[in-house]
Amino acid sequence: MNGTTKHNNHAYPQHILLVEDEQDLAKLLILNLKALNYHVDHATTLKQAMQIIEHKKLDLILLDRMLPDGDGIMLCEQLRQAGKEVPLMLLTAKDSEADVVLGLEAGADDYLVKPFSVLELRARVKALLRRGKAQQEQTQQIEFNSVIINSSTREVTAFNKALTLTAREFDLLLFLAKHPLQVFSRMQLLEAVWGYNYDGYEHTVNSHINRLRNKLSQCSPEHDLVKTVWGVGYKFSPPEVQTH
């Protein structure tokens, strides 16, 4: 069935956000997407789009570039720098090679130039949703020897003990674990975990790292899973590749 995903044996419609201020085009796209059994939210500005993104779980974003309050490229960059991996397609009349490259380098997964065929849009939407679903299933659970992080249930088990983490501690651990052994500065972690526009200070990262380490060490004191790289930042060091 088009537009549905199975979860616990129940099918639910995949959720698309359309950000488009041209009303006639928006109505046409919404009609076609709903015909494929997708649930569609519609925004006409970047501000409206951000409000929806912050409060709803999305499977795909279709994003116009030229909007009343700015360029869709800005929203694309902001989402990627904040670590949000929802598939995103830019819809735009800007058709130069430089514009296409700019969009893809900003983090867009696809780029469709107006005017376009509705049939082509439908085909590309289906392809992006298939790819996004496959990636989501692939990364739903991360396992490193005795450490299991489930991004769907937001549960962590370390050395056969369940951890109780705050939402931010979990997001921090998940981000580090997705990039094992890669070193991130405090500023990079602020942008990826707290959000690009977060106006806190780098010591916020330190305090969360310390609390996270405390909880991990209670499961296995001999394993230092989150390591400090002095003068640089922090990295996730899985048990099986640790050196003594």
Side-chain angles (χ1 to χ4, degrees):
M1 184 185 293
N2 280 328
T4 59
T5 299
K6 291 210 168 179
H7 180 67
N8 294 334
N9 296 322
H10 296 287
Y12 67 92
Q14 289 174 291
H15 197 156
I16 297 174
L17 170 60
L18 172 66
V19 190
E20 171 61 67
D21 64 324
E22 191 181 326
Q23 291 297 334
D24 288 343
L25 177 59
K27 286 177 185 175
L28 176 65
L29 297 183
I30 291 168
L31 186 69
N32 274 270
L33 293 169
K34 286 186 173 179
L36 296 173
N37 296 321
Y38 300 125
H39 178 85
V40 184
D41 269 321
H42 178 217
T44 58
T45 65
L46 295 175
K47 184 178 179 182
Q48 288 177 359
M50 277 306 300
Q51 290 171 342
I52 293 170
I53 291 166
E54 286 170 2
H55 293 97
K56 297 192 178 180
K57 183 182 183 302
L58 300 169
D59 296 293
L60 175 64
I61 298 173
L62 303 178
L63 177 61
D64 186 21
R65 274 201 58 181
M66 304 313 294
L67 294 160
D69 55 346
D71 190 332
I73 289 277
M74 296 187 301
L75 177 59
C76 183
E77 289 176 332
Q78 186 173 341
L79 293 176
R80 296 311 186 225
Q81 288 166 342
K84 296 186 184 297
E85 298 172 358
V86 56
L88 187 149
M89 186 196 308
L90 287 170
L91 309 176
T92 177
K94 292 177 174 288
D95 61 353
S96 73
E97 183 180 357
D99 280 311
V100 175
V101 170
L102 180 66
L104 296 175
E105 287 187 346
D109 298 282
D110 202 353
Y111 194 104
L112 191 55
V113 176
K114 300 176 182 178
F116 49 77
S117 153
V118 172
L119 289 177
E120 182 179 3
L121 174 84
R122 288 168 66 144
R124 292 200 188 196
V125 163
K126 289 178 184 177
L128 280 174
L129 286 169
R130 279 197 303 270
R131 192 191 315 164
K133 184 171 179 286
Q135 289 172 345
Q136 189 178 35
E137 288 172 350
Q138 193 175 29
T139 60
Q140 185 172 352
Q141 185 160 292
I142 300 173
E143 291 189 41
F144 295 101
N145 196 2
S146 301
V147 180
I148 302 171
I149 305 167
N150 191 308
S151 61
S152 178
T153 61
R154 296 181 69 83
E155 294 173 329
V156 179
T157 304
F159 308 99
N160 298 316
K161 295 179 182 177
L163 265 74
T164 302
L165 301 178
T166 66
R168 196 68 78 187
E169 288 165 356
F170 179 86
D171 291 341
L172 185 57
L173 178 61
L174 179 64
F175 178 78
L176 288 168
K178 280 183 175 179
H179 309 87
L181 300 178
Q182 185 174 338
V183 182
F184 293 94
S185 70
R186 293 168 182 81
M187 187 56 70
Q188 286 174 320
L189 291 173
L190 263 179
E191 292 178 354
V193 178
W194 277 259
Y196 183 61
N197 288 326
Y198 182 77
D199 58 1
Y201 300 99
E202 293 183 14
H203 64 73
T204 303
V205 176
N206 295 349
S207 58
H208 278 79
I209 287 283
N210 289 337
R211 286 197 291 271
L212 180 59
R213 271 191 178 141
N214 250 353
K215 293 179 179 180
L216 289 168
S217 68
Q218 289 170 16
C219 298
S220 178
E222 66 270 21
H223 289 97
D224 185 13
L225 298 176
V226 179
K227 289 183 177 292
T228 299
V229 179
W230 296 107
V232 185
Y234 303 101
K235 68 178 180 179
F236 181 81
S237 184
E240 65 267 31
V241 295
Q242 286 195 346
T243 57
H244 298 282

